[in-house]
């Protein structure tokens, strides 16, 4: 199975992607984790993207596509993936679709986590205090949420029009959210097997 985990910052994309990957024996790929690893490793890409991550702005599409291509193809060869944090814009979704079609790794399901803004801010402020993640400061959190509303939310209609979208209430305890996603994916997996 090949699926995307979409949602605003703090919605639980990473948390749920790890759990779903384990349950369905898929590889978890996080665009944010890959970018942060480049920054930490002080690579050429890391130096290019550092400022985007620090400010909460989106990294240019070309860079994101370059770092994701190999992990996605490798994961597909191992049975599928849960891709968390990508795509972030209609443009990225369109580019991803044509590249994935060429490579035979098209997305089958998109899980969209919905959580009210006050709860997102609460979670991220709490994580910032505990982990020191540099973009979890109140100003950058608010900017990341604004960027999501402006650039990523419109992308959901792109997937809804293709009947791939599963909307999940992410404002519940972690186990409940996992259960809800699992049930819907099991149904979807049956449909995909019957295709
Ligand atoms: P990215 O790493 O993708 O960060 P994000 O979207 O801001 O998401 P977060 O990691 O903050 O939240 P999450 O939804 O994964 O939630 P999590 O499970 O961690 O991107 C970072 C940056 O990289 C971007 O700003 C951009 O610059 C760049 N970037 C990445 N992808 C890009 C792309 N495709 N194009 C361009 N640029 C890109 O949980 C958050 C917290 O909440 C945790 O503390 C967790 O324990 C807690 N939590 C989770 N679930 C629950 C729950 N159900 N109840 C209570 N607490 C919960």
């Amino acid at each position: 199975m090949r699926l995307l985990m979409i949602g605003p910052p703090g919605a639980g994309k990473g948390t749920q992607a790890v759990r779903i990957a384990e349950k369905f024996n898929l590889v978890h790929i996080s665009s944010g984790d890959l970018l942060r690893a480049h920054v930490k490793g002080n690579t050429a890409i890391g130096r290019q993207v550092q400022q985007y991550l620090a400010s909460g702005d989106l990294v240019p599409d070309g860079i994101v596509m370059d770092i994701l291509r190999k992990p996605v193809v490798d994961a597909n060869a191992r049975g599928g993936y849960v891709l968390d944090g990508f795509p972030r814009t209609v443009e990225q979704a369109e580019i991803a679709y044509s590249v994935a079609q060429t490579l035979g790794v098209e997305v089958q399901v998109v899980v969209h986590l919905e959580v009210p803004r006050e709860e997102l801010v609460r979670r991220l402020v709490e994580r910032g205090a505990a982990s020191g993640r540099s973009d979890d400061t109140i100003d950058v959190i608010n900017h990341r949420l604004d960027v999501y509303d402006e650039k990523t939310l419109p992308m959901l209609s792109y997937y809804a029009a293709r009947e791939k979208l599963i909307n999940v209430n992410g404002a519940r305890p972690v186990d409940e959210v996992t259960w809800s996603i699992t049930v819907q994916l099991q149904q979807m997996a049956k449909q995909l097997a019957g295709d």
Side-chain angles (χ1 to χ4, degrees), residues 8-15 31-32 35-36 52-53 57-59 64 85-86 88 92 123-124 127 133 135 144 170 172-174:
K13 300 184 293 297
T15 304
S31 53
L35 290 164
R36 279 185 290 277
Y52 293 98
L53 268 75
D57 285 313
L58 295 181
V59 169
V64 180
F86 177 89
R88 293 285 241 257
Q92 281 188 2
R123 290 180 188 178
L124 295 175
R127 182 177 65 186
R133 186 168 138 174
D135 57 352
R144 284 157 64 202
R172 294 174 288 169
V174 172

PDB file of all heavy atoms in Angstrom, residues 8-15 31-32 35-36 52-53 57-59 64 85-86 88 92 123-124 127 133 135 144 170 172-174, ligand 1:
ATOM      1  N   PRO A   8      -2.146  19.545   9.333  1.00  0.00           N
ATOM      2  CA  PRO A   8      -1.381  20.716   9.753  1.00  0.00           C
ATOM      3  C   PRO A   8      -0.267  20.341  10.723  1.00  0.00           C
ATOM      4  O   PRO A   8      -0.282  19.251  11.299  1.00  0.00           O
ATOM      5  CB  PRO A   8      -2.433  21.598  10.442  1.00  0.00           C
ATOM      6  CG  PRO A   8      -3.529  20.660  10.824  1.00  0.00           C
ATOM      7  CD  PRO A   8      -3.529  19.555   9.813  1.00  0.00           C
ATOM      8  N   PRO A   9       0.688  21.234  10.921  1.00  0.00           N
ATOM      9  CA  PRO A   9       1.727  21.007  11.919  1.00  0.00           C
ATOM     10  C   PRO A   9       1.098  20.654  13.270  1.00  0.00           C
ATOM     11  O   PRO A   9       0.188  21.350  13.730  1.00  0.00           O
ATOM     12  CB  PRO A   9       2.448  22.362  11.988  1.00  0.00           C
ATOM     13  CG  PRO A   9       2.242  22.965  10.641  1.00  0.00           C
ATOM     14  CD  PRO A   9       0.860  22.526  10.217  1.00  0.00           C
ATOM     15  N   GLY A  10       1.570  19.565  13.870  1.00  0.00           N
ATOM     16  CA  GLY A  10       1.054  19.161  15.178  1.00  0.00           C
ATOM     17  C   GLY A  10      -0.149  18.241  15.121  1.00  0.00           C
ATOM     18  O   GLY A  10      -0.646  17.787  16.153  1.00  0.00           O
ATOM     19  N   ALA A  11      -0.610  17.911  13.910  1.00  0.00           N
ATOM     20  CA  ALA A  11      -1.826  17.084  13.790  1.00  0.00           C
ATOM     21  C   ALA A  11      -1.578  15.635  14.204  1.00  0.00           C
ATOM     22  O   ALA A  11      -2.521  14.881  14.447  1.00  0.00           O
ATOM     23  CB  ALA A  11      -2.344  17.125  12.359  1.00  0.00           C
ATOM     24  N   GLY A  12      -0.275  15.251  14.224  1.00  0.00           N
ATOM     25  CA  GLY A  12       0.032  13.854  14.581  1.00  0.00           C
ATOM     26  C   GLY A  12       0.434  13.016  13.372  1.00  0.00           C
ATOM     27  O   GLY A  12       0.409  11.787  13.436  1.00  0.00           O
ATOM     28  N   LYS A  13       0.862  13.674  12.304  1.00  0.00           N
ATOM     29  CA  LYS A  13       1.254  12.934  11.086  1.00  0.00           C
ATOM     30  C   LYS A  13       2.384  11.951  11.399  1.00  0.00           C
ATOM     31  O   LYS A  13       2.305  10.777  11.061  1.00  0.00           O
ATOM     32  CB  LYS A  13       1.749  13.901   9.989  1.00  0.00           C
ATOM     33  CG  LYS A  13       0.732  14.920   9.540  1.00  0.00           C
ATOM     34  CD  LYS A  13       1.267  15.779   8.399  1.00  0.00           C
ATOM     35  CE  LYS A  13       2.414  16.710   8.760  1.00  0.00           C
ATOM     36  NZ  LYS A  13       2.067  17.745   9.749  1.00  0.00           N
ATOM     37  N   GLY A  14       3.443  12.461  12.047  1.00  0.00           N
ATOM     38  CA  GLY A  14       4.588  11.604  12.359  1.00  0.00           C
ATOM     39  C   GLY A  14       4.200  10.491  13.321  1.00  0.00           C
ATOM     40  O   GLY A  14       4.523   9.316  13.108  1.00  0.00           O
ATOM     41  N   THR A  15       3.481  10.857  14.368  1.00  0.00           N
ATOM     42  CA  THR A  15       3.065   9.884  15.391  1.00  0.00           C
ATOM     43  C   THR A  15       2.258   8.756  14.749  1.00  0.00           C
ATOM     44  O   THR A  15       2.531   7.573  14.967  1.00  0.00           O
ATOM     45  CB  THR A  15       2.180  10.597  16.449  1.00  0.00           C
ATOM     46  OG1 THR A  15       2.917  11.698  16.983  1.00  0.00           O
ATOM     47  CG2 THR A  15       1.745   9.657  17.554  1.00  0.00           C
ATOM     48  N   SER A  31       9.231  13.817   5.057  1.00  0.00           N
ATOM     49  CA  SER A  31      10.001  14.857   4.352  1.00  0.00           C
ATOM     50  C   SER A  31      10.693  15.771   5.366  1.00  0.00           C
ATOM     51  O   SER A  31      11.847  16.152   5.185  1.00  0.00           O
ATOM     52  CB  SER A  31       9.102  15.664   3.410  1.00  0.00           C
ATOM     53  OG  SER A  31       7.972  16.171   4.095  1.00  0.00           O
ATOM     54  N   GLY A  32      10.006  16.083   6.456  1.00  0.00           N
ATOM     55  CA  GLY A  32      10.598  16.957   7.480  1.00  0.00           C
ATOM     56  C   GLY A  32      11.818  16.306   8.131  1.00  0.00           C
ATOM     57  O   GLY A  32      12.857  16.952   8.305  1.00  0.00           O
ATOM     58  N   LEU A  35      14.731  16.405   5.754  1.00  0.00           N
ATOM     59  CA  LEU A  35      15.301  17.756   5.653  1.00  0.00           C
ATOM     60  C   LEU A  35      16.097  18.102   6.912  1.00  0.00           C
ATOM     61  O   LEU A  35      17.209  18.643   6.836  1.00  0.00           O
ATOM     62  CB  LEU A  35      14.186  18.784   5.425  1.00  0.00           C
ATOM     63  CG  LEU A  35      13.518  18.731   4.041  1.00  0.00           C
ATOM     64  CD1 LEU A  35      12.192  19.494   4.035  1.00  0.00           C
ATOM     65  CD2 LEU A  35      14.460  19.298   2.970  1.00  0.00           C
ATOM     66  N   ARG A  36      15.538  17.769   8.090  1.00  0.00           N
ATOM     67  CA  ARG A  36      16.252  18.061   9.346  1.00  0.00           C
ATOM     68  C   ARG A  36      17.570  17.284   9.420  1.00  0.00           C
ATOM     69  O   ARG A  36      18.558  17.781   9.949  1.00  0.00           O
ATOM     70  CB  ARG A  36      15.371  17.744  10.567  1.00  0.00           C
ATOM     71  CG  ARG A  36      14.375  18.870  10.888  1.00  0.00           C
ATOM     72  CD  ARG A  36      13.594  18.596  12.165  1.00  0.00           C
ATOM     73  NE  ARG A  36      12.650  17.516  12.003  1.00  0.00           N
ATOM     74  CZ  ARG A  36      11.428  17.630  11.472  1.00  0.00           C
ATOM     75  NH1 ARG A  36      10.997  18.828  11.097  1.00  0.00           N
ATOM     76  NH2 ARG A  36      10.635  16.599  11.343  1.00  0.00           N
ATOM     77  N   TYR A  52      14.627  27.995   5.547  1.00  0.00           N
ATOM     78  CA  TYR A  52      13.204  27.705   5.325  1.00  0.00           C
ATOM     79  C   TYR A  52      12.614  26.994   6.554  1.00  0.00           C
ATOM     80  O   TYR A  52      11.521  27.319   7.011  1.00  0.00           O
ATOM     81  CB  TYR A  52      13.011  26.808   4.087  1.00  0.00           C
ATOM     82  CG  TYR A  52      13.367  27.473   2.785  1.00  0.00           C
ATOM     83  CD1 TYR A  52      14.617  27.268   2.195  1.00  0.00           C
ATOM     84  CD2 TYR A  52      12.465  28.305   2.127  1.00  0.00           C
ATOM     85  CE1 TYR A  52      14.952  27.864   0.987  1.00  0.00           C
ATOM     86  CE2 TYR A  52      12.783  28.908   0.926  1.00  0.00           C
ATOM     87  CZ  TYR A  52      14.030  28.684   0.362  1.00  0.00           C
ATOM     88  OH  TYR A  52      14.361  29.292  -0.832  1.00  0.00           O
ATOM     89  N   LEU A  53      13.362  26.015   7.058  1.00  0.00           N
ATOM     90  CA  LEU A  53      12.855  25.274   8.218  1.00  0.00           C
ATOM     91  C   LEU A  53      12.754  26.186   9.441  1.00  0.00           C
ATOM     92  O   LEU A  53      11.774  26.135  10.184  1.00  0.00           O
ATOM     93  CB  LEU A  53      13.754  24.067   8.535  1.00  0.00           C
ATOM     94  CG  LEU A  53      13.314  22.776   7.850  1.00  0.00           C
ATOM     95  CD1 LEU A  53      13.653  22.771   6.376  1.00  0.00           C
ATOM     96  CD2 LEU A  53      13.923  21.568   8.518  1.00  0.00           C
ATOM     97  N   ASP A  57       8.774  28.326   6.524  1.00  0.00           N
ATOM     98  CA  ASP A  57       8.341  28.433   5.123  1.00  0.00           C
ATOM     99  C   ASP A  57       8.618  27.120   4.400  1.00  0.00           C
ATOM    100  O   ASP A  57       9.431  26.309   4.860  1.00  0.00           O
ATOM    101  CB  ASP A  57       9.096  29.579   4.422  1.00  0.00           C
ATOM    102  CG  ASP A  57       8.552  30.923   4.868  1.00  0.00           C
ATOM    103  OD1 ASP A  57       7.317  31.087   4.883  1.00  0.00           O
ATOM    104  OD2 ASP A  57       9.367  31.794   5.244  1.00  0.00           O
ATOM    105  N   LEU A  58       7.959  26.936   3.253  1.00  0.00           N
ATOM    106  CA  LEU A  58       8.145  25.694   2.513  1.00  0.00           C
ATOM    107  C   LEU A  58       9.455  25.720   1.737  1.00  0.00           C
ATOM    108  O   LEU A  58       9.820  26.733   1.126  1.00  0.00           O
ATOM    109  CB  LEU A  58       6.975  25.473   1.541  1.00  0.00           C
ATOM    110  CG  LEU A  58       5.606  25.257   2.198  1.00  0.00           C
ATOM    111  CD1 LEU A  58       4.545  25.016   1.128  1.00  0.00           C
ATOM    112  CD2 LEU A  58       5.646  24.094   3.187  1.00  0.00           C
ATOM    113  N   VAL A  59      10.136  24.595   1.751  1.00  0.00           N
ATOM    114  CA  VAL A  59      11.371  24.412   0.994  1.00  0.00           C
ATOM    115  C   VAL A  59      10.984  24.306  -0.497  1.00  0.00           C
ATOM    116  O   VAL A  59       9.925  23.737  -0.812  1.00  0.00           O
ATOM    117  CB  VAL A  59      12.055  23.107   1.496  1.00  0.00           C
ATOM    118  CG1 VAL A  59      13.191  22.683   0.609  1.00  0.00           C
ATOM    119  CG2 VAL A  59      12.509  23.281   2.957  1.00  0.00           C
ATOM    120  N   VAL A  64      12.840  19.227  -2.474  1.00  0.00           N
ATOM    121  CA  VAL A  64      12.033  18.205  -1.787  1.00  0.00           C
ATOM    122  C   VAL A  64      11.897  16.967  -2.678  1.00  0.00           C
ATOM    123  O   VAL A  64      12.076  15.826  -2.225  1.00  0.00           O
ATOM    124  CB  VAL A  64      10.644  18.764  -1.412  1.00  0.00           C
ATOM    125  CG1 VAL A  64       9.819  17.718  -0.704  1.00  0.00           C
ATOM    126  CG2 VAL A  64      10.779  19.999  -0.539  1.00  0.00           C
ATOM    127  N   GLY A  85       4.132  14.426   5.392  1.00  0.00           N
ATOM    128  CA  GLY A  85       4.622  15.790   5.172  1.00  0.00           C
ATOM    129  C   GLY A  85       4.779  16.171   3.713  1.00  0.00           C
ATOM    130  O   GLY A  85       5.222  17.272   3.403  1.00  0.00           O
ATOM    131  N   PHE A  86       4.439  15.292   2.813  1.00  0.00           N
ATOM    132  CA  PHE A  86       4.544  15.565   1.383  1.00  0.00           C
ATOM    133  C   PHE A  86       3.352  14.936   0.678  1.00  0.00           C
ATOM    134  O   PHE A  86       2.992  13.805   1.024  1.00  0.00           O
ATOM    135  CB  PHE A  86       5.838  14.970   0.809  1.00  0.00           C
ATOM    136  CG  PHE A  86       5.967  15.163  -0.680  1.00  0.00           C
ATOM    137  CD1 PHE A  86       6.562  16.302  -1.192  1.00  0.00           C
ATOM    138  CD2 PHE A  86       5.469  14.205  -1.562  1.00  0.00           C
ATOM    139  CE1 PHE A  86       6.660  16.479  -2.570  1.00  0.00           C
ATOM    140  CE2 PHE A  86       5.558  14.392  -2.940  1.00  0.00           C
ATOM    141  CZ  PHE A  86       6.160  15.525  -3.435  1.00  0.00           C
ATOM    142  N   ARG A  88       2.810  19.236  -0.132  1.00  0.00           N
ATOM    143  CA  ARG A  88       2.357  20.363   0.686  1.00  0.00           C
ATOM    144  C   ARG A  88       1.593  21.388  -0.124  1.00  0.00           C
ATOM    145  O   ARG A  88       1.055  22.330   0.455  1.00  0.00           O
ATOM    146  CB  ARG A  88       3.564  21.116   1.284  1.00  0.00           C
ATOM    147  CG  ARG A  88       4.380  20.369   2.306  1.00  0.00           C
ATOM    148  CD  ARG A  88       3.654  20.316   3.613  1.00  0.00           C
ATOM    149  NE  ARG A  88       4.252  20.913   4.752  1.00  0.00           N
ATOM    150  CZ  ARG A  88       4.865  20.241   5.732  1.00  0.00           C
ATOM    151  NH1 ARG A  88       5.063  18.954   5.657  1.00  0.00           N
ATOM    152  NH2 ARG A  88       5.268  20.865   6.804  1.00  0.00           N
ATOM    153  N   GLN A  92       3.055  20.589  -5.842  1.00  0.00           N
ATOM    154  CA  GLN A  92       3.818  19.382  -5.458  1.00  0.00           C
ATOM    155  C   GLN A  92       3.011  18.124  -5.754  1.00  0.00           C
ATOM    156  O   GLN A  92       3.547  17.116  -6.212  1.00  0.00           O
ATOM    157  CB  GLN A  92       4.173  19.402  -3.965  1.00  0.00           C
ATOM    158  CG  GLN A  92       5.348  20.285  -3.618  1.00  0.00           C
ATOM    159  CD  GLN A  92       5.805  20.138  -2.160  1.00  0.00           C
ATOM    160  OE1 GLN A  92       5.265  19.333  -1.405  1.00  0.00           O
ATOM    161  NE2 GLN A  92       6.804  20.915  -1.784  1.00  0.00           N
ATOM    162  N   ARG A 123      -0.153  21.574  21.449  1.00  0.00           N
ATOM    163  CA  ARG A 123       0.766  20.438  21.296  1.00  0.00           C
ATOM    164  C   ARG A 123       2.177  20.899  20.926  1.00  0.00           C
ATOM    165  O   ARG A 123       3.169  20.397  21.441  1.00  0.00           O
ATOM    166  CB  ARG A 123       0.270  19.497  20.187  1.00  0.00           C
ATOM    167  CG  ARG A 123      -0.979  18.727  20.551  1.00  0.00           C
ATOM    168  CD  ARG A 123      -1.362  17.830  19.374  1.00  0.00           C
ATOM    169  NE  ARG A 123      -2.654  17.194  19.579  1.00  0.00           N
ATOM    170  CZ  ARG A 123      -3.243  16.391  18.698  1.00  0.00           C
ATOM    171  NH1 ARG A 123      -2.654  16.132  17.541  1.00  0.00           N
ATOM    172  NH2 ARG A 123      -4.409  15.843  18.961  1.00  0.00           N
ATOM    173  N   LEU A 124       2.244  21.871  20.000  1.00  0.00           N
ATOM    174  CA  LEU A 124       3.565  22.261  19.499  1.00  0.00           C
ATOM    175  C   LEU A 124       4.335  23.088  20.517  1.00  0.00           C
ATOM    176  O   LEU A 124       5.551  22.938  20.652  1.00  0.00           O
ATOM    177  CB  LEU A 124       3.416  23.014  18.165  1.00  0.00           C
ATOM    178  CG  LEU A 124       2.850  22.143  17.022  1.00  0.00           C
ATOM    179  CD1 LEU A 124       2.615  22.972  15.759  1.00  0.00           C
ATOM    180  CD2 LEU A 124       3.771  20.962  16.714  1.00  0.00           C
ATOM    181  N   ARG A 127       5.626  20.547  22.895  1.00  0.00           N
ATOM    182  CA  ARG A 127       6.788  19.820  22.355  1.00  0.00           C
ATOM    183  C   ARG A 127       8.015  20.720  22.314  1.00  0.00           C
ATOM    184  O   ARG A 127       9.126  20.287  22.619  1.00  0.00           O
ATOM    185  CB  ARG A 127       6.491  19.286  20.949  1.00  0.00           C
ATOM    186  CG  ARG A 127       7.666  18.480  20.398  1.00  0.00           C
ATOM    187  CD  ARG A 127       7.391  17.881  19.036  1.00  0.00           C
ATOM    188  NE  ARG A 127       7.211  18.911  18.029  1.00  0.00           N
ATOM    189  CZ  ARG A 127       6.855  18.677  16.770  1.00  0.00           C
ATOM    190  NH1 ARG A 127       6.599  17.445  16.389  1.00  0.00           N
ATOM    191  NH2 ARG A 127       6.715  19.660  15.910  1.00  0.00           N
ATOM    192  N   ARG A 133      12.730  21.670  19.673  1.00  0.00           N
ATOM    193  CA  ARG A 133      12.704  21.746  18.195  1.00  0.00           C
ATOM    194  C   ARG A 133      12.603  23.215  17.784  1.00  0.00           C
ATOM    195  O   ARG A 133      11.723  23.940  18.258  1.00  0.00           O
ATOM    196  CB  ARG A 133      11.539  20.906  17.640  1.00  0.00           C
ATOM    197  CG  ARG A 133      11.563  20.838  16.126  1.00  0.00           C
ATOM    198  CD  ARG A 133      10.623  19.816  15.574  1.00  0.00           C
ATOM    199  NE  ARG A 133       9.922  20.340  14.413  1.00  0.00           N
ATOM    200  CZ  ARG A 133       9.120  19.654  13.636  1.00  0.00           C
ATOM    201  NH1 ARG A 133       8.899  18.377  13.874  1.00  0.00           N
ATOM    202  NH2 ARG A 133       8.507  20.215  12.607  1.00  0.00           N
ATOM    203  N   ASP A 135      11.665  25.048  15.326  1.00  0.00           N
ATOM    204  CA  ASP A 135      10.510  25.738  14.726  1.00  0.00           C
ATOM    205  C   ASP A 135       9.262  25.646  15.611  1.00  0.00           C
ATOM    206  O   ASP A 135       8.181  26.048  15.203  1.00  0.00           O
ATOM    207  CB  ASP A 135      10.218  25.237  13.300  1.00  0.00           C
ATOM    208  CG  ASP A 135       9.980  23.730  13.215  1.00  0.00           C
ATOM    209  OD1 ASP A 135      10.189  23.033  14.229  1.00  0.00           O
ATOM    210  OD2 ASP A 135       9.593  23.257  12.132  1.00  0.00           O
ATOM    211  N   ARG A 144       3.709  28.609  10.503  1.00  0.00           N
ATOM    212  CA  ARG A 144       3.557  27.287   9.863  1.00  0.00           C
ATOM    213  C   ARG A 144       2.070  26.970   9.656  1.00  0.00           C
ATOM    214  O   ARG A 144       1.681  26.422   8.623  1.00  0.00           O
ATOM    215  CB  ARG A 144       4.200  26.201  10.739  1.00  0.00           C
ATOM    216  CG  ARG A 144       5.727  26.198  10.657  1.00  0.00           C
ATOM    217  CD  ARG A 144       6.367  25.563  11.882  1.00  0.00           C
ATOM    218  NE  ARG A 144       6.084  24.162  12.068  1.00  0.00           N
ATOM    219  CZ  ARG A 144       6.174  23.526  13.242  1.00  0.00           C
ATOM    220  NH1 ARG A 144       6.533  24.189  14.339  1.00  0.00           N
ATOM    221  NH2 ARG A 144       5.902  22.255  13.331  1.00  0.00           N
ATOM    222  N   GLY A 170      -8.371  13.956  14.264  1.00  0.00           N
ATOM    223  CA  GLY A 170      -7.109  13.724  14.971  1.00  0.00           C
ATOM    224  C   GLY A 170      -7.075  14.317  16.359  1.00  0.00           C
ATOM    225  O   GLY A 170      -6.046  14.239  17.048  1.00  0.00           O
ATOM    226  N   ARG A 172      -8.256  13.381  19.122  1.00  0.00           N
ATOM    227  CA  ARG A 172      -8.636  12.355  20.102  1.00  0.00           C
ATOM    228  C   ARG A 172      -7.357  11.706  20.598  1.00  0.00           C
ATOM    229  O   ARG A 172      -6.283  11.920  20.026  1.00  0.00           O
ATOM    230  CB  ARG A 172      -9.514  11.292  19.421  1.00  0.00           C
ATOM    231  CG  ARG A 172     -10.848  11.823  18.958  1.00  0.00           C
ATOM    232  CD  ARG A 172     -11.598  10.771  18.176  1.00  0.00           C
ATOM    233  NE  ARG A 172     -11.021  10.553  16.869  1.00  0.00           N
ATOM    234  CZ  ARG A 172     -11.337   9.548  16.050  1.00  0.00           C
ATOM    235  NH1 ARG A 172     -12.221   8.648  16.413  1.00  0.00           N
ATOM    236  NH2 ARG A 172     -10.772   9.433  14.865  1.00  0.00           N
ATOM    237  N   PRO A 173      -7.445  10.879  21.648  1.00  0.00           N
ATOM    238  CA  PRO A 173      -6.232  10.216  22.109  1.00  0.00           C
ATOM    239  C   PRO A 173      -5.546   9.432  20.982  1.00  0.00           C
ATOM    240  O   PRO A 173      -6.233   8.948  20.062  1.00  0.00           O
ATOM    241  CB  PRO A 173      -6.749   9.277  23.209  1.00  0.00           C
ATOM    242  CG  PRO A 173      -8.020   9.915  23.680  1.00  0.00           C
ATOM    243  CD  PRO A 173      -8.622  10.568  22.472  1.00  0.00           C
ATOM    244  N   VAL A 174      -4.227   9.334  21.068  1.00  0.00           N
ATOM    245  CA  VAL A 174      -3.416   8.755  19.991  1.00  0.00           C
ATOM    246  C   VAL A 174      -3.933   7.372  19.570  1.00  0.00           C
ATOM    247  O   VAL A 174      -4.083   7.094  18.373  1.00  0.00           O
ATOM    248  CB  VAL A 174      -1.931   8.664  20.456  1.00  0.00           C
ATOM    249  CG1 VAL A 174      -1.090   7.888  19.448  1.00  0.00           C
ATOM    250  CG2 VAL A 174      -1.361  10.061  20.644  1.00  0.00           C
TER     251      VAL A 174
HETATM  252  P1  LIG B   1       7.451  18.657   9.116  1.00  0.00           P
HETATM  253  O1  LIG B   1       8.533  17.955   9.808  1.00  0.00           O
HETATM  254  O2  LIG B   1       6.613  17.930   8.147  1.00  0.00           O
HETATM  255  O3  LIG B   1       6.638  19.378  10.263  1.00  0.00           O
HETATM  256  P2  LIG B   1       5.114  19.813  10.422  1.00  0.00           P
HETATM  257  O4  LIG B   1       4.238  19.620   9.245  1.00  0.00           O
HETATM  258  O5  LIG B   1       5.202  21.180  10.966  1.00  0.00           O
HETATM  259  O6  LIG B   1       4.595  18.735  11.386  1.00  0.00           O
HETATM  260  P3  LIG B   1       5.053  18.342  12.853  1.00  0.00           P
HETATM  261  O7  LIG B   1       6.185  17.379  12.774  1.00  0.00           O
HETATM  262  O8  LIG B   1       5.254  19.543  13.688  1.00  0.00           O
HETATM  263  O9  LIG B   1       3.726  17.682  13.332  1.00  0.00           O
HETATM  264  P4  LIG B   1       3.048  16.277  12.996  1.00  0.00           P
HETATM  265  O10 LIG B   1       1.756  16.489  12.302  1.00  0.00           O
HETATM  266  O11 LIG B   1       4.032  15.319  12.361  1.00  0.00           O
HETATM  267  O12 LIG B   1       2.717  15.816  14.458  1.00  0.00           O
HETATM  268  P5  LIG B   1       3.586  14.932  15.458  1.00  0.00           P
HETATM  269  O13 LIG B   1       3.214  13.503  15.299  1.00  0.00           O
HETATM  270  O14 LIG B   1       5.019  15.308  15.336  1.00  0.00           O
HETATM  271  O15 LIG B   1       8.025  19.931   8.316  1.00  0.00           O
HETATM  272  C1  LIG B   1       8.932  20.832   8.927  1.00  0.00           C
HETATM  273  C2  LIG B   1       9.416  21.841   7.887  1.00  0.00           C
HETATM  274  O16 LIG B   1      10.092  21.145   6.817  1.00  0.00           O
HETATM  275  C3  LIG B   1       8.321  22.646   7.182  1.00  0.00           C
HETATM  276  O17 LIG B   1       7.954  23.780   7.944  1.00  0.00           O
HETATM  277  C4  LIG B   1       9.024  23.017   5.879  1.00  0.00           C
HETATM  278  O18 LIG B   1       9.948  24.054   6.079  1.00  0.00           O
HETATM  279  C5  LIG B   1       9.802  21.756   5.562  1.00  0.00           C
HETATM  280  N1  LIG B   1       9.059  20.780   4.748  1.00  0.00           N
HETATM  281  C6  LIG B   1       8.681  19.529   5.118  1.00  0.00           C
HETATM  282  N2  LIG B   1       8.040  18.924   4.119  1.00  0.00           N
HETATM  283  C7  LIG B   1       8.010  19.794   3.085  1.00  0.00           C
HETATM  284  C8  LIG B   1       7.468  19.750   1.775  1.00  0.00           C
HETATM  285  N3  LIG B   1       6.803  18.682   1.320  1.00  0.00           N
HETATM  286  N4  LIG B   1       7.602  20.844   0.987  1.00  0.00           N
HETATM  287  C9  LIG B   1       8.266  21.946   1.409  1.00  0.00           C
HETATM  288  N5  LIG B   1       8.796  22.056   2.648  1.00  0.00           N
HETATM  289  C10 LIG B   1       8.673  20.988   3.481  1.00  0.00           C
HETATM  290  O19 LIG B   1       2.977  15.434  16.844  1.00  0.00           O
HETATM  291  C11 LIG B   1       3.202  16.754  17.297  1.00  0.00           C
HETATM  292  C12 LIG B   1       3.129  16.747  18.835  1.00  0.00           C
HETATM  293  O20 LIG B   1       1.798  16.398  19.231  1.00  0.00           O
HETATM  294  C13 LIG B   1       4.050  15.680  19.480  1.00  0.00           C
HETATM  295  O21 LIG B   1       4.543  16.183  20.679  1.00  0.00           O
HETATM  296  C14 LIG B   1       3.112  14.491  19.728  1.00  0.00           C
HETATM  297  O22 LIG B   1       3.521  13.694  20.792  1.00  0.00           O
HETATM  298  C15 LIG B   1       1.795  15.207  20.017  1.00  0.00           C
HETATM  299  N6  LIG B   1       0.635  14.426  19.585  1.00  0.00           N
HETATM  300  C16 LIG B   1       0.490  13.708  18.437  1.00  0.00           C
HETATM  301  N7  LIG B   1      -0.733  13.151  18.376  1.00  0.00           N
HETATM  302  C17 LIG B   1      -1.393  13.528  19.500  1.00  0.00           C
HETATM  303  C18 LIG B   1      -2.711  13.266  20.007  1.00  0.00           C
HETATM  304  N8  LIG B   1      -3.609  12.504  19.330  1.00  0.00           N
HETATM  305  N9  LIG B   1      -3.059  13.816  21.195  1.00  0.00           N
HETATM  306  C19 LIG B   1      -2.161  14.608  21.900  1.00  0.00           C
HETATM  307  N10 LIG B   1      -0.889  14.874  21.481  1.00  0.00           N
HETATM  308  C20 LIG B   1      -0.518  14.345  20.278  1.00  0.00           C
END
